[in-house]
Amino acid sequence: MEQKLSQIQKDYLKKIQSAPNLKVLDEIFLELFGKNGVVNKLSEEFPKVPKEERPKVGPLFNRIKKELEAVIADKRTAIREEGYKKLETEKFVLQPGRLQAKRQGHLHPVTKLEQETIELFKRLGFQQFSAPHIDTDEYNFELLNIPKGHPARDLWDTLYIDYPGYAPGKLLLRTHTSNAQVRSMREFGTPLRMMIIDRCFRYENLDARHEHTLEQFEIVYVDKGVSMANLQYLSEYFLKAVLGKNTKVRMRPKYYPFVEPGAGVDGQCLFCEGKGCKVCGWTGWLELAGAGMIHPQVLKNGGIDPNEYSGIAWGFGPERMAMLKYGIEDIRIFKSGNLKALNKIHERKKPISPAKIAEPEGDVL
Ligand code: PHE
């Protein structure tokens, strides 16, 4: 029995040490300590051991059993640690996914147009600014010459917010990026060349040309001697760069309470080339931007002396522009999350890269 025990000890120590992984080690453990394992079998043989040998064999048996248990536990730890080390040093080779190989992502068409726009105005020295989506009626209306109860408020279907601490009608979802006008004047003073591109919200009757959540782009340019001529230049510079060199642009008088004079900037309808169609409401022109000379009172509200400085504000809806550029008849596609439709738009026309647009000559503003 003694011999048998030391043979088992020898064999299993060897086996345990050379176990290559946890699975093999577990098998060895079961072989030794399982229900029908070597240890149990041995203890069944105990009654056959001669009486005089028992005091020696018993403790030996226990010692070897404990030793083997401990060696297995140590080996288990060693195998695990080796595995962790390997994980740290091994490089993973990733198999390309099946879909990944076929489909390449792309930017949303409106995002692309916005990036082009930012690039175009950056070249003219405009810096990006941001203003809150949830704002007070002060910045969205009052400081822009649109007091409470003034009929001009009807120009914007507004979503008001009830919130503790604010009187009803005080807090709203901004209806336009013009809420950045007075803010930027107050923050940066003169001279000012700021641009903002962001979301606005309106309580709209949804249809092919109206969304409740819409993008706007707007610039504010304040300096000495700024005039409508700058506005004309900017409108053409921008619309020709985005829609093509042959785009026809016109400016006509339009009322906005915060500009005087105010202008609507129209581009000739690209769908019918000015002949008149469903998209342009049979006029041949599409209104693309609102603009004008900043009203002296608004300059004053921004802390700027209107006797010394003048300014222009100019803004457009990137989604409307993208409709025209990519030939899309329904604005709701853009926020639909409909990948099929968005992919189609992406493939329709290669957007003009700003790099291909002629640099403005000299100091044009
Ligand atoms: N904020 C105006 C609108 O949302 C557009 C505009 C911007 C008009 C700048 C004039 C100057 O309709």
Side-chain angles (χ1 to χ4, degrees):
M1 185 73 170
E2 243 178 280
Q3 238 185 6
K4 218 174 181 179
L5 273 172
S6 51
Q7 189 60 44
I8 286 171
Q9 183 192 28
K10 224 172 110 195
D11 289 352
Y12 274 91
L13 280 178
K14 224 175 165 185
K15 258 189 172 180
I16 292 165
Q17 284 315 338
S18 58
N21 54 40
L22 290 178
K23 195 170 167 249
V24 175
L25 197 65
D26 284 343
E27 280 163 14
I28 297 170
F29 182 85
L30 280 177
E31 246 178 77
L32 274 169
F33 302 106
K35 215 172 158 204
N36 300 314
V38 176
V39 170
N40 269 349
K41 287 239 169 80
L42 269 179
S43 49
E44 278 165 19
E45 287 177 28
F46 255 36
K48 284 184 229 156
V49 176
K51 262 201 178 130
E52 58 279 13
E53 272 185 39
R54 281 187 200 165
K56 225 178 160 195
V57 170
L60 183 67
F61 174 83
N62 281 333
R63 192 168 56 75
I64 291 174
K65 197 175 134 191
K66 271 202 181 129
E67 185 192 3
L68 289 174
E69 267 174 350
V71 173
I72 286 179
D74 287 350
K75 181 70 182 175
R76 184 167 280 131
T77 314
I79 289 177
R80 282 206 182 113
E81 270 169 11
E82 209 177 304
Y84 296 144
K85 253 190 230 150
K86 247 194 192 162
L87 268 183
E88 278 169 18
T89 52
E90 245 176 30
K91 280 199 183 114
F92 285 96
V93 180
L94 296 179
Q95 297 271 351
R98 255 180 293 156
L99 263 179
Q100 198 185 2
K102 276 191 189 157
R103 193 186 154 265
Q104 251 192 338
H106 57 80
L107 289 177
H108 191 288
V110 175
T111 306
K112 254 189 196 160
L113 190 114
E114 291 183 349
Q115 290 185 349
E116 284 172 34
T117 307
I118 289 166
E119 184 58 34
L120 283 165
F121 281 92
K122 219 162 77 181
R123 290 174 175 200
L124 299 177
F126 285 84
Q127 286 186 309
Q128 266 182 280
F129 188 77
S130 72
H133 289 184
I134 297 175
D135 209 351
T136 55
D137 74 329
E138 213 185 353
Y139 281 109
N140 197 82
F141 290 131
E142 272 171 39
L143 292 167
L144 298 174
N145 277 347
I146 319 166
K148 248 198 187 78
H150 192 287
R153 281 217 184 180
D154 294 347
L155 292 174
W156 292 272
D157 298 301
T158 310
L159 292 155
Y160 287 94
I161 297 173
D162 274 341
Y163 195 74
Y166 289 87
K170 253 280 158 252
L171 215 55
L172 46 81
L173 289 178
R174 64 137 173 241
T175 57
H176 51 185
T177 43
S178 302
N179 73 332
Q181 288 190 8
V182 169
R183 266 206 179 79
S184 61
M185 289 179 212
R186 285 182 178 175
E187 194 167 335
F188 293 110
T190 52
L192 180 63
R193 290 183 191 194
M194 85 82 173
M195 60 174 151
I196 175 166
I197 198 156
D198 210 340
R199 275 186 178 188
C200 305
F201 311 88
R202 293 189 190 173
Y203 183 55
E204 291 280 9
N205 248 338
L206 306 188
D207 64 25
R209 279 196 290 170
H210 296 89
E211 258 282 22
H212 51 72
T213 302
L214 56 133
E215 305 282 311
Q216 278 202 346
F217 173 84
E218 183 158 342
I219 59 156
V220 168
Y221 172 38
V222 183
D223 209 337
K224 287 181 177 160
V226 171
S227 76
M228 285 297 273
N230 298 117
L231 202 60
Q232 172 78 22
Y233 173 83
L234 282 175
S235 298
E236 286 206 19
Y237 164 72
F238 174 69
L239 292 176
K240 287 189 172 177
V242 172
L243 299 176
K245 268 194 190 140
N246 300 324
T247 308
K248 293 212 169 69
V249 182
R250 77 172 184 186
M251 246 193 326
R252 62 190 161 75
K254 188 162 183 206
Y255 173 66
Y256 294 103
F258 39 92
V259 285
E260 180 57 39
V265 181
D266 299 343
Q268 197 178 55
C269 180
L270 298 184
F271 292 95
C272 61
E273 292 176 340
K275 288 185 200 88
C277 68
K278 198 175 78 186
V279 179
C280 59
W282 312 101
T283 61
W285 294 90
L286 279 168
E287 182 176 349
L288 296 176
M293 300 290 303
I294 298 172
H295 195 286
Q297 183 59 47
V298 177
L299 286 176
K300 265 192 215 159
N301 293 344
I304 295 171
D305 180 358
N307 295 318
E308 212 183 326
Y309 288 94
S310 56
I312 53 176
W314 184 98
F316 77 93
E319 279 132 341
R320 286 265 182 105
M321 196 72 76
M323 284 170 80
L324 195 63
K325 177 166 179 167
Y326 299 108
I328 291 146
E329 291 181 19
D330 196 323
I331 196 168
R332 288 166 292 191
I333 279 180
F334 292 127
K335 289 198 169 66
S336 66
N338 181 342
L339 262 188
K340 240 188 189 164
L342 293 172
N343 285 343
K344 263 198 188 148
I345 298 170
H346 177 72
E347 285 155 13
R348 208 169 277 180
K349 253 188 228 168
K350 278 240 148 40
I352 303 166
S353 115
K356 288 194 197 123
I357 296 160
E359 286 283 347
E361 278 168 29
D363 192 9
V364 290
L365 291 183

